Amino acid sequence: MDVSIEYFGETSEAPTTPVITTSETQTLEDNQSDFAEANALFEAFLESVKAKLMGSEFEEVLPKKLAIMKKHFQKSAFHVNEKDFLAMLKETTKTIQNVPNADAANKTVIGFYKVYESLKLYIHSSTIEIEADHLPKVKRLEKIIKLLRKKIKQLDEAEVDFDADENSAYLMCDRYQKKLKKVYAKYCEYIRRNPQNGRAIYDKIQFVHSKCNAINQALSRKYRNSVEFPTYYAVEKCIKKVVTNGKLNLSEQCIKVESEKCFQHLGSILQKKRRQELYDSHLDFIDLTSDPASKDVALANTLKKNYTQGKEKLDQLYQRYVEKQELGEDDVSSEEEQSSSKSDAEDKLTTEETTNILVNDL
């Protein structure tokens, strides 16, 4: 026997209390008058997509994709009227309308995919069927998750005691976060959901920054699900393979320039994903409703200075990899990378040692 459970406003880290229901998902036809703004924005979005893709290689499949998109939109009545979705729809439409013709097709497809994934994720997560025998365990896990999040917030706000060893607030917070991750993974197992859904760092990468579409497609395939920062050599190797297999008319110098450009853009994409992931993970603990830097000139200047310094260091890092390539140094794994691998291994051991016994009993 299965039980249908609806989740309203669910996030990847803070699952809400389930509400058992037998009703169908509300559609736009039920309350058409309440969704005038959403409908208008959606129609403008579709018109922008059609205008940019007409005459492109995607024109043939466009009618089928638009039909699926409209169907998903009609099934997502609650979601499409949310402020976040409306803002995203406005921004995506504006981006598509303003994109240069040279990049129009690829960037329009990315915008289309972004809206489509938002609707698809909502539909798949809004109604979940679980076995009736698992319902008590799901409720129990939700209580544990709530308690762990409360404890993490308390520790996150606590003063750091540098004299404390294993019981410092920092280390305890880290242990509770690992426990929360373990419990949430078990929770997702019962509700048949991927625990990575909704996390920015796991968003698929669509690379469109090369003028050669074959290179864009190859890099998108290779790094679509990547969370690790790529090496310059791996990017260059991928581009050289595309040039060779596709018999592209690119000289060694052109390949070098293309590799440098693609490496930097790919790194920037991954950086943005990590920043968004960091922001999302701290969102529930942020009580401020406005940016403190907007009212503090000194803070704003400090942040701007740090950003400039960080960008300069990143540019230097890019250049270092390029210089090593020119010198023929194939192995450029740094001490920092080796140290990071060692740290990851230690974290794995710590996670296993601190696993919550409640989870093991489930």
Side-chain angles (χ1 to χ4, degrees), residues 239-286:
I239 292 175
K240 283 184 175 180
K241 184 177 180 180
V242 173
V243 172
T244 302
N245 293 344
K247 297 180 180 179
L248 304 181
N249 186 24
L250 290 179
S251 65
E252 285 295 327
Q253 181 61 27
C254 289
I255 292 175
K256 177 184 174 183
V257 172
E258 191 71 13
S259 299
E260 291 178 15
K261 183 180 72 172
C262 292
F263 174 62
Q264 292 186 23
H265 280 297
L266 194 57
S268 297
I269 292 172
L270 289 171
Q271 271 195 326
K272 289 179 182 178
K273 288 172 61 176
R274 290 180 180 181
R275 283 197 293 265
Q276 186 64 46
E277 173 82 2
L278 183 63
Y279 173 78
D280 291 343
S281 65
H282 287 81
L283 190 59
D284 290 338
F285 305 117
I286 299 176

Side-chain angles (χ1 to χ4, degrees), residues 72-136:
H72 283 4
F73 185 79
Q74 292 293 330
K75 289 183 177 180
S76 307
F78 293 106
H79 180 55
V80 301
N81 210 34
E82 293 175 347
K83 290 182 179 180
D84 289 345
F85 179 81
L86 294 176
M88 184 266 289
L89 196 59
K90 288 179 183 177
E91 181 184 356
T92 305
T93 303
K94 184 178 179 181
T95 300
I96 291 174
Q97 291 173 344
N98 296 333
V99 68
N101 290 333
D103 299 327
N106 286 329
K107 291 195 175 180
T108 299
V109 169
I110 291 177
F112 183 90
Y113 176 80
K114 182 178 181 181
V115 176
Y116 172 78
E117 281 296 301
S118 178
L119 295 173
K120 182 180 176 182
L121 180 61
Y122 170 77
I123 292 172
H124 287 180
S125 62
S126 60
T127 302
I128 303 170
E129 289 187 352
I130 64 171
E131 295 180 9
D133 293 342
H134 289 166
L135 189 58

Side-chain angles (χ1 to χ4, degrees), residues 24-71:
E24 296 292 331
T25 303
Q26 182 186 13
T27 62
L28 289 180
E29 287 86 350
D30 297 329
N31 287 295
Q32 192 71 29
S33 60
D34 295 336
F35 298 93
E37 181 183 7
N39 273 319
L41 288 173
F42 185 65
E43 289 300 324
F45 166 75
L46 294 182
E47 289 300 320
S48 299
V49 170
K50 286 190 285 187
K52 292 293 184 179
L53 294 184
M54 293 301 290
S56 72
E57 59 185 303
F58 304 104
E59 182 179 0
E60 185 177 346
V61 298
L62 186 58
K64 181 180 178 180
K65 297 295 183 181
L66 290 178
I68 296 174
M69 175 75 90
K70 289 178 180 179
K71 186 177 179 181

Side-chain angles (χ1 to χ4, degrees), residues 212-246:
C212 178
N213 198 42
I215 293 177
N216 285 330
Q217 292 175 353
L219 291 175
S220 293
R221 284 194 301 269
K222 184 175 178 62
Y223 296 103
R224 182 180 297 271
N225 299 309
S226 178
V227 296
E228 300 295 332
F229 199 87
T231 66
Y232 172 81
Y233 309 102
V235 173
E236 186 185 50
K237 183 179 179 181
C238 180
I239 292 175
K240 283 184 175 180
K241 184 177 180 180
V242 173
V243 172
T244 302
N245 293 344

